[in-house]
Amino acid sequence: MGEPSAEESAIELRKREHLAPFRDGSVAAAVTQSWLDRILLIHQALPELDLAEIRLESDFVGRTFKAPLMITGMTGGTREARQINRDLAWAAEKMGVGFGLGSQRAMIAQTDLGASYRVRDVAPHVFLAGNIGGTQLAATPLDRLRRALDEVGADALCVHLNAAQELAQPEGDRDWRGVAQAISRVVREIDLPVIVKEVGCGLSREVGARLVELGVGHADIAGAGGTDFVALELDRRGTKQAPELDPFRGWGIPTAAALMELAHLDLTLIASGGVRSGLDVARAIAAGATLAGIAAPVLEAWFRGGRDEVVATLERICDGLRAAMMLTGSRSVDDLRGAPRVITGSLRDWCRERGVMR
């Protein structure tokens, strides 16, 4: 195979630069909060439960997860990402939760990077979601996309929408025409569940309704309050190169608000963006999510201590979720979905203004 083109080399370099803040602990603090703490679960002082009987199993697209969690897509397309993806997939299989790959754009453009996405030999049974960006989906022939999904053994396809991140990249996509049509086409023609997700800026009620019209049944709201990819891109390029974009740090819909925006629609929801504890998971499920998505905490754990630290992090989150279920009198995740809760503060104001109180 010949040397990669300048464009393909730039893709790999960008992916490496995206990992650097997680490696050295310099990820910028989120300007916008997730607002998950504005969802107050009502304490039940007489739970009539034994902690040992609480069940975390949850069904998603015909699969039963041991806990309502998914490690959402973060990386791929670099040679160092290979070990990260393999270890995260191994940990997800061990814990019985889902795992999402980072954007497969790099392996479609540069086939020698495909190894960084292949994890089936270490995680043969894990629920595995492939990943492509909306603008890339519109430009990629379906046969090439199918090959990429088949190569990794994907159980689902995530289509990520990241217009704000792309604007912050000097090399980012600016033309988003045709993405809705491409999503509709892939829902019809790819024989896998399609999950449409944001990348840290949240999905609005209007976009959620449009996704339902396009035939989409699953969405990852990926709200503001977790990793700020606009800030990450601006820091990568230096804000002096794009001072007009600096005010957009923190841009987006807080995670809890995005969840409330979409909870009344005919969509199965993954709540991600600032989910860092079992209590956050419980709040998200009580507000309408089927799963909670976690990204930065597990990547940070991997850099601290490899796959064993990832497992330990997931176990702590599961333990926190069990505690929240005990204290709300919820024997199962289905019970938790009906647990009493109060919406407070800025989230309450948002819901009233937008007419999405659930």
Side-chain angles (χ1 to χ4, degrees), residues 9 51 114-115 121 124 175-176 274 343:
S9 297
L51 186 65
D121 59 320
D175 187 352
W176 280 76
I343 305 301

Side-chain angles (χ1 to χ4, degrees), residues 3 41 47 56 81 85 95 120 145 163 175 189 212 254-256 258 300 311 358:
E3 291 295 318
L41 302 179
L56 302 188
N85 276 332
M95 293 295 297
R120 278 297 181 199
L145 178 59
D175 187 352
E189 300 187 27
V212 173
T255 297
E300 292 164 355
V311 170
R358 176 176 173 272

Side-chain angles (χ1 to χ4, degrees), residues 217-238:
H218 318 285
D220 181 349
I221 59 173
T227 302
D228 184 341
F229 283 95
V230 172
L232 187 151
E233 296 292 356
L234 292 176
D235 290 343
R236 184 173 69 89
R237 68 189 286 184

Side-chain angles (χ1 to χ4, degrees), residues 109-182:
Q110 189 174 333
T111 56
D112 65 329
L113 295 176
S116 69
Y117 298 91
R118 290 194 288 269
V119 301
R120 278 297 181 199
D121 59 320
V122 296
H125 307 297
V126 75
F127 177 87
L128 178 66
N131 191 341
I132 191 169
T135 55
Q136 289 84 55
L137 178 66
T140 301
L142 281 181
D143 60 338
R144 292 186 67 188
L145 178 59
R146 288 192 184 98
R147 286 199 301 271
L149 295 171
D150 288 345
E151 183 177 342
V152 300
D155 297 305
L157 170 64
C158 283
V159 178
H160 67 266
L161 308 179
N162 64 332
Q165 181 187 14
E166 295 286 347
L167 283 176
Q169 289 180 6
E171 68 276 65
D173 293 312
R174 303 294 192 268
D175 187 352
W176 280 76
R177 293 173 297 179
V179 174
Q181 181 181 2

